[in-house]
Amino acid sequence: MTMSLWVWLKILGFLSVSLCGKAQDNQNVTFQMECRERYFLISTDLSLSGTETRFEAVDDKGVHPITKEYGFTCGYIFSVMVEHFEFRASYFSCHTDNQKDEAFTFHFNLITTNGDGEEIFHTVIETCYPSIPWSSREVTCEEDYVEVILRRDVFCPSYTTADNWDRMVQDLATSGWQVMFNREGVQPTTMSISMARSLGYVFDALPERLLFRSPFGQPHAFISLANGVFLEVIHPTLYSRQKWLVVMVDLVAACSTDRGHYEGSRMVWETPTLLPPLVLDPSKFAVQSISMGVNGQLQFHNTTQGDYTMEINNATVLIGIPFHSAGYRKSFVMENTYNELYVVHLYYEQVFVTEEGVETRLRQHRPMVTPLLTWHPFTMNQTDVEERVFIVYFGNLPSDVTLVAVNLNGQDFTVPLTQESSFSIARGSLPNGTHAYVLRVPFEDSLSKLYLEEGLLQFILDINFTLTIMDQEEPFYHLASVVAELTDVFPPSIDGFCSENGISFQWNHEPVDDLWEVAIGPDPLTPELAAQRGYVVTNNSQSIILDVPLFTIGYSYENITLSQFVGSLEIQSRNLKTPEIQQSVTMQCHFDTTELIVCSTHGVMTVVTEVLNGADPSRTSLLQKTCTPKEMNNSRVLFEFGLNTCGTLVQVDYQNVIYENEIIIEQSTEAPVIKKATLRGVVRCVYPLAGLSQLFTEWRFESEAPGQGTVVYTTDPRSFYPVTTIKPIEQCSQTTTPPSTMATPPRIGASIGALPAGHQSASYVRVLQWQGQVFTEAL
Ligand SMILES: *[C@@H]1O[C@H](CO)[C@@H](O)[C@H](O)[C@H]1NC(C)=O
Ligand SMILES: *[C@@H]1O[C@H](CO)[C@@H](O)[C@H](O)[C@H]1NC(C)=O
Ligand SMILES: *[C@@H]1O[C@H](CO)[C@@H](O)[C@H](O)[C@H]1NC(C)=O
Ligand SMILES: *[C@@H]1O[C@H](CO)[C@@H](O)[C@H](O)[C@H]1NC(C)=O
Ligand SMILES: *[C@@H]1O[C@H](CO)[C@@H](O)[C@H](O)[C@H]1NC(C)=O
Ligand SMILES: *[C@@H]1O[C@H](CO)[C@@H](O)[C@H](O)[C@H]1NC(C)=O
Ligand SMILES: *[C@@H]1O[C@H](CO)[C@@H](O)[C@H](O)[C@H]1NC(C)=O
Ligand SMILES: *[C@@H]1O[C@H](CO)[C@@H](O)[C@H](O)[C@H]1NC(C)=O
Ligand SMILES: *[C@@H]1O[C@H](CO)[C@@H](O)[C@H](O)[C@H]1NC(C)=O
């Protein structure tokens, strides 16, 4: 996965002559300026500059805008290393004021643009003095060009007078010289100096030296292989026919083209120990020193030091630079993966002496970029089944990465957790600079439970971690899924008991209670349901006891006699996730009969009631006189009849069907006549219309739920049903009530007023409530 630096810088959006950092309002750009060996440096961190920056060089001829291309030939370099920017100007760059090769004055305008688009001019004037003596020959391999400086005594015999030199300088200026480009195995190309200049080459006579500069990749350059390393070589020879001799100046330059390779924690760069075109006779060649460093500064000489390595043999020099500590770093998210790369700015210098005793100083600037280094966070399952808590270790996170959110089984939580929660996320740092999170989620919170088979319960925690790189927006995700299993998990086992006043159930708490619900009929047992229906729930540490009083909702009744009846109640435990019933318990208990009215789902009304005022039970009947009690003793009667028999009246309102009959007591002739009022017991069953399926299709009755029954004793001759609209139903009216009665609006309580004042039996009017509140009037 080798990607060139430029590809990456393009991706990162930094490849531009002008600096385009992230826009930040009015941020002042801070530049560092330094004199370095043979170049002048202006540097800044891109992240600090909120601006575009241009450069202009100023000399006595005027102002010269500097572009990247212009820099290749003129000795200026724009170097971008991730978020670090450098501008380097050679001591011999086109617009430097050179005082006898001893002082070099640079004059630049830096033009930055502030947030409002205004240009701000900064003027930089700096004079640099070489701090180390000049070598006879200095070859500098910059990023984009090579520069050769040759002292005049190298090519001019000592008897060359100052006079001669001056003339030569003049000749060079007036193109009295020719240049010949030599290439291996090819005829040399010869041209005039002015022609060469037009091709981008620079030849210049300095006070004490000759200068040659060429961009890389020129047509007259060539690549050669030396000890397995490729070199870019350019080999011009200047020549001039003097009066009686031909003067030739060899200006050969060679640079290793190695871009470096990635080796563990280092970037390794290679160059031949001996660069053949610079050295003609290897046997007389001697290395004086080899030095290396980064960012244009030589730090280590001749030897390996710490993480910086230098392997020198007679063939090659291998330089290793630890990029973690020496490089510029950039991290970013690509394809949901964290990547980082480093750019190392290698600086290399080799000093050697050739056969003629010419000291050569070869310098090389080489930015090297690591391949994309991806990081893979990992999760470790450290779940504690005993404690019933998922523990997930999430580690190997680079230091600039933060966990911003976590999704647990589809539920999002921001990190740090804002609300109180039963789970926790802790962050910890590791000695190697990475960090990790530990997520603890109790099983009960896992939100995803699966009852696999008898006794086996599986908890699943699906995690989606959302991470971001600090100061960057694009998130990336890491997924993990942990599973834990509990064995011996069974639904509660329910026992039932009959008591005098109802039925009780008891079951023990189970390790995982919330897998199951207990239901009475279709309705899950909740505290609300219990309160609404009058059930009593006792919940202690071991078990739950549910007392269901007789006549509360849920019961059904059978085999009702005057003395006893059977009340039954069904309770179920079922799986919450599936409608599957795990256990169903039906309790049937015998209860002593008190007064009651039962409206069965099959359309049978059963009434057990006290006969009032000591009236003779045998004188009671329903509306149809032939319907007499099914059972009676001295004080009570039991009527049982189909809802379509015994003269039962039917009324329908929007919600209900109401069946009504009367227990008529024929007044004993001996008894003292209290006015005329006939005492009637109105018995009534009310069924919700919605629950009836078979009402009118055939003379069969079927209701989903039992009806609500009432028994009311009254002297009011009318039906007093409190409904606003009463519609007679054809099919029913023929066998039942005269329409006039049905249409009369009810007059509740009218009967009370009709009772004689001071009558002992205020309890004449009694309401038995049955499965709900129909009449709540306290009569
Ligand atoms: C920029 O520099 C000016 C002048 O030195 C100073 O007044 C201003 O506060 C600086 N602004 C910022 C954002 O640093
Ligand atoms: C490097 O080694 C050479 C000889 O091999 C020696 O002359 C020179 O002084 C050394 N340079 C440094 C800086 O130690
Ligand atoms: C390097 O030196 C070794 C012996 O010291 C020699 O065998 C080898 O040929 C030399 N390699 C080159 C490229 O000169
Ligand atoms: C850092 O240390 C942790 C714990 O020893 C290890 O799991 C992780 O892989 C290490 N990461 C790196 C980049 O060395
Ligand atoms: C993880 O969460 C992110 C953000 O909510 C979402 O875009 C992504 O699809 C999720 N991944 C999976 C596999 O659910
Ligand atoms: C995680 O750890 C638990 C407890 O040690 C174990 O039961 C489970 O199989 C492990 N594996 C996964 C994938 O969750
Ligand atoms: C019983 O009490 C426990 C603990 O107080 C509670 O979690 C549970 O929901 C209660 N059960 C019922 C049916 O009220
Ligand atoms: C009701 O009585 C019938 C007939 O005596 C009997 O077969 C049935 O089991 C009784 N029902 C209950 C619930 O006791
Ligand atoms: C009539 O039967 C009921 C129910 O069995 C009983 O409570 C009551 O005492 C009986 N009355 C008489 C007078 O026997």
Side-chain angles (χ1 to χ4, degrees):
M1 193 164 50
T2 51
M3 300 245 188
S4 88
L5 168 68
W6 297 117
V7 170
W8 275 109
L9 294 178
K10 266 180 192 162
I11 288 172
L12 302 174
F14 292 132
L15 182 62
S16 161
V17 170
S18 51
L19 314 182
C20 299
K22 280 176 203 149
Q24 283 167 18
D25 289 343
N26 276 331
Q27 184 109 38
N28 289 342
V29 185
T30 52
F31 293 95
Q32 287 79 48
M33 285 171 283
E34 277 173 81
C35 289
R36 290 284 181 82
E37 214 46 72
R38 312 313 193 229
Y39 69 92
F40 173 64
L41 171 72
I42 298 178
S43 62
T44 185
D45 283 330
L46 287 174
S47 55
L48 294 177
S49 70
T51 60
E52 281 194 17
T53 304
R54 297 188 281 119
F55 282 82
E56 290 171 352
V58 184
D59 63 10
D60 49 10
K61 295 191 191 69
V63 174
H64 313 272
I66 302 174
T67 63
K68 194 174 171 72
E69 290 68 30
Y70 186 67
F72 293 168
T73 51
C74 266
Y76 301 105
I77 286 289
F78 294 93
S79 182
V80 183
M81 280 157 288
V82 187
E83 286 174 350
H84 179 79
F85 169 80
E86 283 189 7
F87 173 76
R88 298 194 290 269
S90 161
Y91 277 6
F92 302 103
S93 62
C94 295
H95 308 290
T96 310
D97 177 36
N98 177 348
Q99 286 120 42
K100 296 186 181 162
D101 297 348
E102 284 160 6
F104 300 87
T105 303
F106 300 91
H107 184 172
F108 293 108
N109 289 332
L110 265 77
I111 302 106
T112 58
T113 315
N114 72 8
D116 303 330
E118 290 166 37
E119 292 200 326
I120 303 167
F121 278 75
H122 314 258
T123 297
V124 175
I125 300 177
E126 186 80 38
T127 300
C128 299
Y129 306 90
S131 61
I132 57 167
W134 291 93
S135 298
S136 300
R137 176 164 66 169
E138 300 202 355
V139 178
T140 301
C141 303
E142 248 297 356
E143 274 182 54
D144 299 321
Y145 65 82
V146 60
E147 194 176 74
V148 180
I149 314 286
L150 203 58
R151 207 157 67 193
R152 92 188 217 205
D153 59 6
V154 174
F155 60 91
C156 291
S158 50
Y159 51 82
T160 307
T161 59
D163 235 23
N164 284 341
W165 174 249
D166 288 344
R167 209 176 53 239
M168 177 179 164
V169 168
Q170 214 174 351
D171 280 1
L172 199 54
T174 57
S175 299
W177 288 67
Q178 298 279 301
V179 60
M180 179 171 69
F181 286 101
N182 310 284
R183 275 187 287 173
E184 274 172 3
V186 181
Q187 272 297 107
T189 315
T190 305
M191 64 184 78
S192 67
I193 295 289
S194 53
M195 177 67 186
R197 279 188 178 136
S198 72
L199 293 174
Y201 301 105
V202 172
F203 295 95
D204 207 357
L206 307 168
E208 293 292 325
R209 294 172 173 79
L210 265 188
L211 160 76
F212 165 60
R213 185 163 50 236
S214 165
F216 284 126
Q218 285 288 81
H220 303 101
F222 60 95
I223 301 292
S224 80
L225 188 65
N227 290 328
V229 184
F230 287 104
L231 301 175
E232 177 163 344
V233 180
I234 186 147
H235 192 171
T237 305
L238 284 179
Y239 66 95
S240 170
R241 188 177 298 278
Q242 308 279 320
K243 255 183 276 174
W244 45 271
L245 79 165
V246 174
V247 177
M248 295 183 82
V249 184
D250 197 20
L251 288 165
V252 66
C255 302
S256 163
T257 60
D258 187 18
R259 294 200 159 273
H261 64 273
Y262 169 79
E263 229 180 72
S265 61
R266 289 188 186 82
M267 282 304 288
V268 175
W269 180 80
E270 194 173 14
T271 183
T273 315
L274 179 153
L275 292 86
L278 296 182
V279 182
L280 293 176
D281 182 358
S283 62
K284 292 189 180 147
F285 151 91
V287 173
Q288 281 198 330
S289 70
I290 291 179
S291 308
M292 65 170 161
V294 290
N295 306 329
Q297 279 173 320
L298 298 174
Q299 290 153 288
F300 307 110
H301 308 280
N302 290 352
T303 53
T304 290
Q305 199 145 348
D307 293 334
Y308 291 77
T309 59
M310 189 187 285
E311 265 179 56
I312 310 168
N313 59 37
N314 55 2
T316 55
V317 178
L318 283 171
I319 301 291
I321 306 282
F323 56 80
H324 283 116
S325 55
Y328 296 99
R329 177 177 180 277
K330 174 73 188 169
S331 56
F332 53 94
V333 174
M334 202 172 68
E335 286 166 3
N336 199 37
T337 308
Y338 178 94
N339 295 277
E340 61 177 3
L341 60 75
Y342 291 82
V343 180
V344 173
H345 178 190
L346 166 78
Y347 190 45
Y348 173 83
E349 187 195 77
Q350 185 177 354
V351 183
F352 56 88
V353 183
T354 60
E355 62 275 30
E356 306 87 359
V358 173
E359 186 188 79
T360 300
R361 198 175 282 269
L362 172 71
R363 299 190 179 88
Q364 188 138 7
H365 289 268
R366 172 59 71 193
M368 296 185 286
V369 61
T370 62
L372 278 190
L373 309 173
T374 57
W375 281 71
H376 297 285
F378 65 87
T379 47
M380 251 183 331
N381 172 15
Q382 301 180 332
T383 298
D384 189 337
V385 179
E386 293 269 288
E387 293 289 319
R388 295 221 246 147
V389 58
F390 284 114
I391 304 175
V392 179
Y393 175 93
F394 180 41
N396 204 30
L397 300 169
S399 56
D400 61 347
V401 163
T402 5
L403 179 65
V404 292
V406 63
N407 179 297
L408 303 175
N409 288 338
Q411 276 198 308
D412 284 315
F413 302 94
T414 54
V415 177
L417 301 171
T418 44
Q419 70 264 45
E420 278 284 304
S421 53
S422 53
F423 64 93
S424 68
I425 298 174
R427 183 187 157 130
S429 298
L430 293 162
N432 61 13
T434 67
H435 65 279
Y437 292 91
V438 177
L439 173 69
R440 299 172 68 95
V441 182
F443 285 2
E444 273 60 35
D445 279 17
S446 80
L447 316 161
S448 178
K449 278 178 241 172
L450 210 57
Y451 196 61
L452 289 184
E453 54 191 77
E454 274 315 88
L456 186 62
L457 178 64
Q458 195 176 59
F459 294 91
I460 302 163
L461 182 64
D462 287 324
I463 314 167
N464 186 346
F465 293 101
T466 304
L467 300 156
T468 57
I469 299 177
M470 273 173 225
D471 304 326
Q472 292 186 30
E473 276 169 18
E474 194 183 345
F476 61 109
Y477 306 100
H478 184 84
L479 302 175
S481 188
V482 279
V483 176
E485 279 171 4
L486 282 187
T487 48
D488 292 332
V489 178
F490 292 102
S493 153
I494 302 174
D495 295 325
F497 312 94
C498 297
S499 68
E500 204 178 318
N501 302 312
I503 298 178
S504 301
F505 297 96
Q506 179 174 12
W507 62 93
N508 288 337
H509 288 299
E510 290 296 329
V512 190
D513 266 345
D514 57 355
L515 262 190
W516 293 280
E517 63 179 9
V518 170
I520 313 285
D523 308 311
L525 177 63
T526 58
E528 295 74 36
L529 186 88
Q532 190 192 332
R533 295 187 177 177
Y535 302 163
V536 181
V537 179
T538 315
N539 187 1
N540 64 30
S541 59
Q542 253 127 58
S543 61
I544 293 180
I545 298 168
L546 169 68
D547 294 311
V548 186
L550 194 57
F551 301 135
T552 53
I553 297 175
Y555 275 98
S556 60
Y557 307 90
E558 281 174 85
N559 294 6
I560 302 165
T561 68
L562 212 49
S563 58
Q564 273 202 321
F565 66 93
V566 176
S568 46
L569 193 61
E570 189 189 9
I571 189 167
Q572 294 169 349
S573 68
R574 54 192 190 201
N575 198 322
L576 264 179
K577 287 278 152 67
T578 63
E580 200 183 321
I581 291 169
Q582 301 285 337
Q583 191 196 1
S584 172
V585 177
T586 304
M587 286 299 296
Q588 291 183 328
C589 300
H590 286 82
F591 298 100
D592 289 341
T593 304
T594 54
E595 286 178 298
L596 58 77
I597 177 167
V598 173
C599 305
S600 87
T601 53
H602 306 300
V604 175
M605 195 189 303
T606 309
V607 184
V608 175
T609 181
E610 205 92 7
V611 181
L612 291 179
N613 283 353
D616 184 357
S618 64
R619 299 175 72 97
T620 58
S621 71
L622 298 175
L623 283 176
Q624 192 176 317
K625 289 273 162 28
T626 54
C627 293
T628 54
K630 181 182 170 196
E631 225 188 305
M632 60 183 148
N633 69 6
N634 286 348
S635 59
R636 282 187 187 175
V637 285
L638 185 155
F639 285 101
E640 190 173 78
F641 56 98
L643 292 175
N644 294 312
T645 63
C646 297
T648 307
L649 312 177
V650 186
Q651 301 173 357
V652 178
D653 69 10
Y654 290 123
Q655 273 107 40
N656 301 304
V657 181
I658 305 121
Y659 293 91
E660 185 180 294
N661 210 316
E662 287 181 22
I663 299 171
I664 296 168
I665 305 164
E666 210 177 291
Q667 296 291 338
S668 144
T669 43
E670 306 98 62
V673 179
I674 313 162
K675 273 288 177 185
K676 277 261 89 65
T678 307
L679 193 58
R680 308 173 313 134
V682 178
V683 294
R684 187 175 289 129
C685 279
V686 179
Y687 292 90
L689 205 46
L692 294 177
S693 48
Q694 304 266 359
L695 179 58
F696 303 122
T697 49
E698 45 191 292
W699 287 115
R700 212 178 89 206
F701 183 95
E702 221 166 84
S703 170
E704 281 172 12
Q708 298 172 326
T710 51
V711 183
V712 179
Y713 281 92
T714 177
T715 51
D716 185 358
R718 298 173 193 280
S719 170
F720 74 109
Y721 211 79
V723 288
T724 47
T725 315
I726 299 175
K727 278 191 188 161
I729 300 296
E730 278 307 309
Q731 293 95 316
C732 305
S733 60
Q734 59 187 16
T735 54
T736 54
T737 325
S740 60
T741 311
M742 304 299 285
T744 312
R747 290 185 300 146
I748 297 171
S751 57
I752 308 289
L755 282 173
H759 192 281
Q760 291 298 302
S761 301
S763 61
Y764 260 12
V765 178
R766 290 198 293 168
V767 176
L768 273 187
Q769 292 188 0
W770 189 247
Q771 299 202 348
Q773 287 81 20
V774 177
F775 294 107
T776 51
E777 281 81 18
L779 297 174

